[in-house]
Amino acid sequence: MNENCYAVKGNIIYSTTPDNLVLIENGYVVCENGISGGVFENLPEKYRSIQVKDYGDRLVIPGLVDLHMHAPQYGLRGFGMDLELLDWLNTYTFPEEARYAEEAYAKRAYGMFTEELKKSPTTRACIFATIHRDATKILMDLLEDTKLRTMVGKVNMDRNAPEYLCEATEESQEETLRWLKDMEGHYQYTSPILTPRFIPSCTDSLMVKLGEIQKEHHLPVQSHLSENEGEIAWVKELCPSAGFYGEAYEQAGLFGNGCKTVMAHCVSSAEEEIALIRKNGVYVAHCPQSNMNLSSGIAPVRKYLNEGLHVGLGSDLAGGSSMSMFRAMSDAIQVSKLYWRLVDQTASPLTLKEVFYLATRGGGEFFGKVGSFEAGFAFDALVIDDESIWHPQPLGLLERLERVIYLGDSSNIVEKMVEGETI
């Protein structure tokens, strides 16, 4: 066996399905050249000679996946949380994002963001930048140094934003193409994702041009969908040819169906939109904290799971004031209880097992075979020391995991590995 093959020993926890959580006390998970070789109660004979990293009684879980966050909003955490989405964008977000035209500000702010992300439980993320090509490259350079696996998008906007944050349609297309050309061959861990901010800020002409770029470069796509009732009504006015919000993306070829797509929120998706999400294999990034903070509502995640949609979790920094995916999991459970009590009593609340799946394998699927310790999956792992979360009674592994999700933070992470490499 080569030096890139080793085993991690500890209390192994991972998901195979939303309902199946595997818990193995004092088990082993094998890493072979960045890929999981499987989980074992005892090491098989063929692995007896490899290095064993023994973490004792600590928990070993897959790295967590954040399917939706805005890096330039890091400095906005905790601001304007009494506003709804569109007012919050105009009052806080757009003025802050305009600052990234200044290289010095971008380096300082993105440096803070990447340092905190590196220390967090997140190992992979889909990230919005701003319209600024140079600042987006700064962000990608900093993320590359962390060795996290991230998808980053230069944002596209050509309408319904302040003049200082809008590009002309052709300029937005050209700057996106220049950004893609500039980054060719420069990154091992960081990759581009096409990023129309949302339909209200992108004209039909720009969406068509972005669709052409997607087809030429085979890029994944990230955007927002049906987050807020006012936003949905606005899209109906702006795009009368589209029967519903998602169809406006579909008309440009930016809604799954061979174009890997993640849409944040889907709080108020109509039945025909849900059907198209399912048909086209679009991923939903559920962002519970942001949806509470900006009064957007509660996404019907139980319905989405029952209908077989691809669902993961997002922090939506800074609509969500925390980038912790532990917090995203506990929030997802809590808002699902409110949905069950106040909206639909047939929609049972999400379980601990289900939200753990969403934060690992569910969101990880957007990156490929990611988010589990099953053989053949990328070896992304967190080693967690929960000893500082005091308790007077003996606890099982499931109870310890739940307490980490509700009470843990970055200080509990003692080792973080992505594709077998320690971060």
Side-chain angles (χ1 to χ4, degrees):
M1 292 290 179
N2 62 46
E3 62 182 12
N4 294 319
C5 183
Y6 61 87
V8 168
K9 185 175 186 291
N11 296 307
I12 314 297
I13 303 174
Y14 64 100
S15 295
T16 58
T17 69
D19 299 320
N20 187 44
L21 186 66
V22 180
L23 304 102
I24 300 179
E25 291 189 16
N26 299 313
Y28 300 82
V29 56
V30 172
C31 175
E32 295 185 82
N33 299 311
I35 303 298
S36 174
V39 179
F40 310 94
E41 293 186 0
N42 298 290
L43 273 182
E45 184 64 35
K46 68 175 181 175
Y47 295 127
R48 293 290 170 83
S49 63
I50 67 175
Q51 177 191 8
V52 175
K53 300 181 180 183
D54 190 345
Y55 290 100
D57 193 43
R58 291 166 174 165
L59 307 179
V60 181
I61 67 172
L64 306 185
V65 179
D66 190 334
L67 279 186
H68 183 67
M69 62 192 322
H70 294 259
Q73 294 176 18
Y74 179 81
L76 291 181
R77 293 169 304 157
F79 286 162
M81 297 289 93
D82 55 346
L83 298 178
E84 290 192 41
L85 171 66
L86 300 178
D87 289 336
W88 184 74
L89 289 174
N90 289 314
T91 305
Y92 290 97
T93 304
F94 291 155
E96 174 65 14
E97 291 192 6
R99 293 175 180 266
Y100 287 80
E102 302 175 22
E103 184 174 315
Y105 189 84
K107 287 181 177 178
R108 183 167 70 254
Y110 281 151
M112 295 175 183
F113 165 78
T114 53
E115 184 63 22
E116 183 160 341
L117 187 66
K118 182 178 179 179
K119 295 176 180 178
S120 78
T122 298
T123 51
R124 298 183 186 243
C126 295
I127 303 173
F128 281 57
T130 63
I131 67 167
H132 310 101
R133 177 169 51 84
D134 291 342
T136 301
K137 185 179 184 303
I138 289 169
L139 173 60
M140 296 179 76
D141 289 346
L142 289 166
L143 285 166
E144 182 74 5
D145 289 342
T146 69
K147 298 184 180 180
L148 301 173
R149 303 312 192 259
T150 58
M151 296 183 187
V152 177
K154 177 209 167 299
V155 170
N156 297 101
M157 295 195 291
D158 69 340
R159 69 174 174 186
N160 292 324
E163 185 177 343
Y164 57 74
L165 208 59
C166 262
E167 299 171 305
T169 303
E170 291 75 16
E171 180 188 12
S172 189
Q173 176 193 29
E174 291 167 3
E175 284 292 284
T176 299
L177 289 170
R178 287 182 66 190
W179 165 62
L180 292 171
K181 184 173 179 58
D182 288 348
M183 63 173 294
E184 284 180 1
H186 290 288
Y187 300 100
Q188 179 179 354
Y189 309 118
T190 314
S191 59
I193 183 168
L194 204 59
T195 307
R197 186 182 204 105
F198 65 161
I199 292 296
S201 67
C202 297
T203 62
D204 292 348
S205 296
L206 177 57
M207 293 298 289
V208 169
K209 292 180 184 298
L210 293 177
E212 292 169 353
I213 292 174
Q214 193 283 324
K215 289 179 176 64
E216 179 182 353
H217 294 270
H218 308 290
L219 296 174
V221 173
Q222 62 178 354
S223 196
H224 302 83
L225 181 66
S226 298
E227 178 178 0
N228 172 282
E229 293 287 353
E231 170 204 17
I232 294 169
W234 197 12
V235 170
K236 286 183 178 179
E237 294 177 7
L238 293 169
C239 303
S241 65
F244 49 91
Y245 198 157
E247 195 168 60
Y249 291 105
E250 166 85 349
Q251 289 173 348
L254 300 174
F255 203 68
N257 193 25
C259 164
K260 181 168 278 191
T261 303
V262 57
M263 288 285 162
H265 306 302
C266 302
V267 171
S268 301
S269 292
E271 289 296 334
E272 59 266 37
E273 185 166 272
I274 295 170
L276 189 61
I277 290 171
R278 181 176 58 250
K279 175 176 176 288
N280 287 6
V282 171
Y283 285 73
V284 174
H286 176 42
C287 306
Q289 188 183 72
S290 173
N291 297 156
M292 288 187 288
N293 284 341
L294 300 178
S295 304
S296 297
I298 305 170
V301 176
R302 168 62 61 211
K303 177 181 179 66
Y304 295 162
L305 291 178
N306 288 347
E307 297 201 15
L309 272 59
H310 298 290
V311 183
L313 296 179
S315 64
D316 194 23
L317 188 75
S321 51
S322 169
M323 70 165 66
S324 171
M325 296 308 292
F326 293 148
R327 174 69 187 269
M329 283 189 271
S330 62
D331 284 341
I333 291 173
Q334 290 168 352
V335 300
S336 74
K337 292 177 180 177
L338 292 176
Y339 192 88
W340 169 58
R341 280 294 188 193
L342 303 177
V343 182
D344 182 357
Q345 294 187 5
T346 69
S348 57
L350 298 176
T351 66
L352 179 73
K353 292 179 181 180
E354 288 170 329
V355 299
F356 186 79
Y357 175 88
L358 297 182
T360 55
R361 205 178 190 279
E365 287 180 352
F366 191 74
F367 288 83
K369 295 189 74 172
V370 170
S372 180
F373 290 139
E374 297 168 86
F377 277 66
F379 191 88
D380 298 358
L382 302 175
V383 180
I384 298 173
D385 184 351
D386 61 334
E387 190 173 314
S388 65
I389 306 175
W390 290 358
H391 53 88
Q393 73 277 37
L395 300 176
L397 293 188
L398 185 60
E399 295 166 317
R400 290 173 61 186
L401 175 65
E402 185 169 19
R403 286 168 61 85
V404 167
I405 289 171
Y406 278 91
L407 304 174
D409 57 33
S410 297
S411 68
N412 297 106
I413 301 170
V414 296
E415 196 81 58
K416 182 173 177 176
M417 292 163 272
V418 183
E419 292 186 17
E421 186 173 8
T422 297
I423 300 300

